[in-house]
Amino acid sequence: MDGNGRWAKKRMLPRFMGHQKGVKSVKKVVKFCVEQGVDSLTLFAFSTENWKRPKEEVSKLMSLFLNALQKEVIKLNENNVRLNVIGDRSGFSTEIQENILKAEALTENNTGLFLNIAANYGGRWDIFQAMKAWQKQNPTLSIDALNEDALIPFLSLHEQSDPDLLIRTGGEKRVSNFLIWQMAYTEYYFTDELWPDIDESSMQKAVDSFSDRERRFGKTSEQIKTC
Ligand code: FPP
């Protein structure tokens, strides 16, 4: 969800107002995904590197996150959305951690959109936490027993299919330590639009671009056509 700061700067507003407007885009995007019957949406809300931002901005982001967990979750629940937070929760305040657990418990039996919020998340962190969890569960096994299939159950989002589409807003063309394991075969879509300007029509453009892609998963074009 990149571009909140620049959106605010362009309007001579403080950065946090860009984040506030960004929450409105979150709502539009979630609504779009619910209406389109998308199985799973993962939003990168706060990276392991974002703690390095000015204290005041980090604190405002934490307030927005807490507010969403306490208030927006009611509407999410009414819309059959399952909320799931991925990332290292131990970095958050006790209040946020408790509200994450509450929001997840409230929505756990829902069967609609899986809404994953990546918070204090990093792709490298994810791979390492999975390796540590594997070792904890298999203390007597040697590292030679570890392979892709053995590691997958310990990675974030292991119960969901790998993402089909990554949408990066704000003009940057990089992945910034997002779901680096899970996105091995994901289609990437980059747009110059800033996150607070993202709406249903921006999402439709991304989906249209995705529909034009040929996904070969390592095979040849001919092999895909005869499948
Ligand atoms: C990146 O834009 C955005 C973030 C680091 C925060 C995103 C958070 C929200 C939209 C609000 C909280 C989220 C939820 C799910 C409640 P940037 O600040 O890096 O923008 P810039 O590149 O223009 O500076």
Side-chain angles (χ1 to χ4, degrees), residues 75-201:
K75 191 123 190 262
L76 292 175
N77 191 39
E78 284 166 10
N79 282 284
N80 200 22
V81 173
R82 275 173 287 186
L83 189 84
N84 176 37
V85 175
I86 59 168
D88 182 1
R89 297 171 185 207
S90 66
F92 293 114
S93 67
T94 316
E95 191 181 20
I96 290 187
Q97 291 186 45
E98 283 170 4
N99 277 277
I100 291 174
L101 289 175
K102 256 195 200 164
E104 287 178 334
L106 179 72
T107 61
E108 71 180 342
N109 294 320
N110 291 342
T111 53
L113 175 72
F114 237 123
L115 175 59
N116 307 298
I117 305 294
N120 199 17
Y121 178 87
R124 291 179 180 175
W125 166 85
D126 198 357
I127 294 167
F128 273 106
Q129 68 78 25
M131 290 177 77
K132 286 183 201 156
W134 176 85
Q135 208 224 1
K136 214 171 174 183
Q137 203 174 95
N138 302 285
T140 56
L141 292 184
S142 104
I143 193 75
D144 292 336
L146 183 59
N147 55 36
E148 287 185 21
D149 288 341
L151 192 66
I152 286 168
F154 297 95
L155 287 159
S156 301
L157 306 183
H158 63 273
E159 287 164 320
Q160 300 169 48
S161 341
D162 283 346
D164 289 315
L165 175 64
L166 165 83
I167 302 173
R168 169 114 196 198
T169 63
E172 311 294 356
K173 290 176 184 63
R174 49 178 179 255
V175 171
S176 300
N177 199 15
F178 195 33
L179 301 160
I180 50 179
W181 176 291
Q182 296 85 342
M183 295 200 309
Y185 283 98
T186 294
E187 296 293 327
Y188 289 13
Y189 176 83
F190 298 102
T191 171
D192 289 336
E193 272 189 288
L194 304 176
W195 178 256
D197 292 324
I198 292 291
D199 59 13
E200 293 81 353
S201 74

Side-chain angles (χ1 to χ4, degrees), residues 1-7 15 19 22-23 26 43-45 50 53 57 61 64-65 68 117 195:
M1 299 190 280
D2 202 10
N4 294 349
R6 277 165 286 161
W7 182 92
R15 287 179 62 85
H19 296 311
V23 173
V26 170
L43 297 170
F44 204 176
N50 283 152
R53 290 193 173 203
E57 183 172 345
L61 282 167
L64 282 179
F65 188 30
I117 305 294
W195 178 256

Side-chain angles (χ1 to χ4, degrees), residues 219 222-227:
K219 294 183 179 173
E222 288 68 30
Q223 284 175 306
I224 298 299
K225 281 173 188 139
T226 52
C227 272

Side-chain angles (χ1 to χ4, degrees), residues 39-78:
D39 290 332
S40 146
L41 168 71
T42 306
L43 297 170
F44 204 176
F46 197 83
S47 75
T48 44
E49 291 77 28
N50 283 152
W51 296 108
K52 295 177 199 147
R53 290 193 173 203
K55 249 187 175 168
E56 200 195 327
E57 183 172 345
V58 171
S59 152
K60 289 262 165 44
L61 282 167
M62 293 303 133
S63 303
L64 282 179
F65 188 30
L66 185 59
N67 185 62
L69 288 168
Q70 291 171 328
K71 301 211 177 110
E72 306 301 342
V73 77
I74 297 161
K75 191 123 190 262
L76 292 175
N77 191 39
E78 284 166 10

